[in-house]
Amino acid sequence: MGNTGDGGCCRLALTDEDKEGRDLVVNWMKDLGLTVEIDAIGNIFGTWRVGAGAPVMTGSHIDTVRTGGIYDGNLGVIAGLEVIETLQSAGVEPKRPITVAVFTDEEGARFAPDMLGSLVYVGGLGLEAALDTKAIDGPRLGDELERIGYAGALPCPGATPHAFIEYHIEQGPVLEVENQQIGVVTGVQGISWQEIVIKGQSNHAGTTPMSMRHDPAYAASMIGVFLRELARSMGGNQVCTVGRIELVPNLINVVPKSATLTVDIRNTDEQLLQHAESTFQDFIERLASTEGVEITSRRLARFEPVVFDDGVLDVIERESTALGATSMRLPSGAGHDAQMLARVCPTGMIFTQSHKGLSHNPAEHTDADLLELGANVLLATMLAMANDEHLN
Ligand code: GLV
Ligand code: MN
Ligand code: MN
């Protein structure tokens, strides 16, 4: 189900591998006696129907990027099931139901935007628009959902949980460098995704004088260099990435006729993110005119920075300390389903370390004792939230 043979996982959203992974998780949910429901965007919910009122929800995603590791997303789903299994076998019944969610297409690597399933769940994107999203390999999201049998009956937007707590690997180096076991995640930085298309003049690589070129490959390279320099000059939390470049016709002796590339710009501060976006926009306008190419951009995702609920973070911190874990507060550099749930209910996230800060990479790794410690913090936090033992 996506094993790449090098320690990694390729389970792009709504592929056959995703279907197999979903089927496995649904079976695990049924083994625990959970009520399994699927909504119209393919999000899966396994609910332990104990107690009363709105459930405390946890969960994450099981889709991965093409060169993903095995922990990103999967950890939060498996740990959620483990929380329920542990409570059940200890004979502990919380006062509220507990739900484990598997959100559709968190990665956005096949269908943009990222966090698509949780965004639709909270009403941030209409169902029809989401179903009409086209994959990078062509198919329509709604058709893929039908094909793998996960176009469910529950309506979107969905019911508001009492609270949402997501457990995830950090995907960055901070906890390991700071020698802290648990991250109490204060929020998620803002994300701006664009697809840039550059059209120029295709011509012979040997005969076309440099002064007469209108070269999309050159313009794409200049964008990469500009973004690195922009992030360096802004400093702080500013990050910029060109993750995909496609040249047409992509041949050694042809000045390309077009380049398509993706630009990912993130910052924890909305004003600074807007500054980076507008500086980049000015740059591509100048570049188009100096190189004599046409540059168009299409927005693929835009999410403002999110701040998590202080009350939930206090509970995570308190329970970490009670378990003897060292912890620190930090923001998340990666996007997460929790940032969407934060729009509708008190939300927090728990991080565990990522060895060497590696993620979206088959070498992603976290030691088993740390994985377990974080799962125990999740359990204690969920139990406190489900029993309404909030701090404030
Ligand atoms: C999604 O997980 C992202 O941060 O790119
Ligand atoms: Mn993830
Ligand atoms: Mn990811």
Side-chain angles (χ1 to χ4, degrees), residues 252-299:
I252 187 168
N253 53 357
V254 183
V255 176
K257 74 172 181 189
S258 72
T260 301
L261 61 150
T262 57
V263 171
D264 175 320
I265 304 177
R266 306 190 193 199
N267 201 306
T268 45
D269 182 291
E270 174 61 20
Q271 299 308 317
L272 291 173
L273 183 56
Q274 286 181 20
H275 170 74
E277 287 176 304
S278 66
T279 309
F280 175 64
Q281 186 57 36
D282 292 346
F283 172 73
I284 57 176
E285 282 166 22
R286 283 199 310 279
L287 181 64
S289 114
T290 52
E291 184 61 12
V293 291
E294 182 192 310
I295 305 184
T296 51
S297 66
R298 185 167 69 94
R299 189 171 281 310

Side-chain angles (χ1 to χ4, degrees), residues 60-61 63 71-74 106-107 166 168-169 171 334-337 349 359-360:
S60 195
H61 60 99
D63 67 314
Y71 301 96
D72 178 359
N74 300 298
E106 188 274 349
E107 292 291 1
E166 181 170 355
H168 206 284
I169 53 166
Q171 307 183 271
H336 294 292
D337 294 307
M349 281 191 81
S359 187
H360 286 184

Side-chain angles (χ1 to χ4, degrees), residues 75-157:
L75 173 63
V77 172
I78 291 172
L81 296 178
E82 182 100 14
V83 163
I84 294 179
E85 188 172 8
T86 306
L87 291 174
Q88 286 179 344
S89 57
V92 177
E93 284 213 350
K95 289 189 191 154
R96 288 178 176 276
I98 304 261
T99 298
V100 178
V102 180
F103 290 107
T104 296
D105 184 41
E106 188 274 349
E107 292 291 1
R110 187 169 180 232
F111 300 93
D114 48 354
M115 287 77 72
L116 182 141
S118 47
L119 182 64
V120 172
Y121 182 76
V122 302
L125 173 64
L127 177 64
E128 289 310 319
L131 294 174
D132 276 339
T133 306
K134 285 274 165 43
I136 55 169
D137 54 329
R140 183 180 162 271
L141 190 149
D143 295 341
E144 287 292 84
L145 212 47
E146 295 277 355
R147 186 184 69 78
I148 66 165
Y150 277 88
L154 271 191
C156 298

Side-chain angles (χ1 to χ4, degrees), residues 2-311:
N3 184 343
T4 46
D6 56 358
C9 183
C10 173
R11 194 159 51 234
L12 292 165
L14 311 188
T15 55
D16 291 350
E17 292 76 23
D18 190 14
K19 177 202 164 22
E20 286 172 31
R22 286 164 172 264
D23 290 350
L24 183 63
V25 173
V26 165
N27 280 335
W28 287 338
M29 288 174 164
K30 288 184 177 158
D31 288 347
L32 289 173
L34 308 187
T35 306
V36 179
E37 295 165 295
I38 319 285
D39 73 10
I41 198 66
N43 297 320
I44 303 169
F45 303 96
T47 300
W48 182 22
R49 294 211 180 282
V50 286
V56 172
M57 188 184 280
T58 187
S60 195
H61 60 99
I62 65 161
D63 67 314
T64 73
V65 296
R66 198 184 300 283
T67 53
I70 60 171
Y71 301 96
D72 178 359
N74 300 298
L75 173 63
V77 172
I78 291 172
L81 296 178
E82 182 100 14
V83 163
I84 294 179
E85 188 172 8
T86 306
L87 291 174
Q88 286 179 344
S89 57
V92 177
E93 284 213 350
K95 289 189 191 154
R96 288 178 176 276
I98 304 261
T99 298
V100 178
V102 180
F103 290 107
T104 296
D105 184 41
E106 188 274 349
E107 292 291 1
R110 187 169 180 232
F111 300 93
D114 48 354
M115 287 77 72
L116 182 141
S118 47
L119 182 64
V120 172
Y121 182 76
V122 302
L125 173 64
L127 177 64
E128 289 310 319
L131 294 174
D132 276 339
T133 306
K134 285 274 165 43
I136 55 169
D137 54 329
R140 183 180 162 271
L141 190 149
D143 295 341
E144 287 292 84
L145 212 47
E146 295 277 355
R147 186 184 69 78
I148 66 165
Y150 277 88
L154 271 191
C156 298
T160 303
H162 178 63
F164 183 79
I165 300 121
E166 181 170 355
Y167 175 36
H168 206 284
I169 53 166
E170 179 198 340
Q171 307 183 271
V174 177
L175 291 176
E176 190 173 72
V177 167
E178 299 292 331
N179 198 22
Q180 298 291 305
Q181 292 164 310
I182 297 294
V184 182
V185 187
T186 51
V188 179
Q189 64 181 346
I191 300 175
S192 167
W193 280 5
Q194 298 176 61
E195 181 184 73
I196 309 286
V197 176
I198 307 168
K199 291 194 174 140
Q201 174 69 61
S202 190
N203 212 335
H204 195 292
T207 61
T208 315
M210 298 312 288
S211 62
M212 293 176 65
R213 295 187 181 207
H214 306 286
D215 183 351
Y218 167 77
S221 313
M222 290 306 289
I223 286 176
V225 171
F226 177 82
L227 287 172
R228 169 60 75 97
E229 180 51 28
L230 177 66
R232 193 203 58 74
S233 65
M234 287 180 67
N237 287 315
Q238 184 59 55
V239 287
C240 303
T241 307
V242 173
R244 178 159 66 88
I245 302 184
E246 287 160 11
L247 300 176
V248 176
N250 205 26
L251 295 169
I252 187 168
N253 53 357
V254 183
V255 176
K257 74 172 181 189
S258 72
T260 301
L261 61 150
T262 57
V263 171
D264 175 320
I265 304 177
R266 306 190 193 199
N267 201 306
T268 45
D269 182 291
E270 174 61 20
Q271 299 308 317
L272 291 173
L273 183 56
Q274 286 181 20
H275 170 74
E277 287 176 304
S278 66
T279 309
F280 175 64
Q281 186 57 36
D282 292 346
F283 172 73
I284 57 176
E285 282 166 22
R286 283 199 310 279
L287 181 64
S289 114
T290 52
E291 184 61 12
V293 291
E294 182 192 310
I295 305 184
T296 51
S297 66
R298 185 167 69 94
R299 189 171 281 310
L300 298 178
R302 180 64 166 87
F303 302 118
E304 290 188 12
V306 170
V307 176
F308 288 139
D309 184 270
D310 252 334

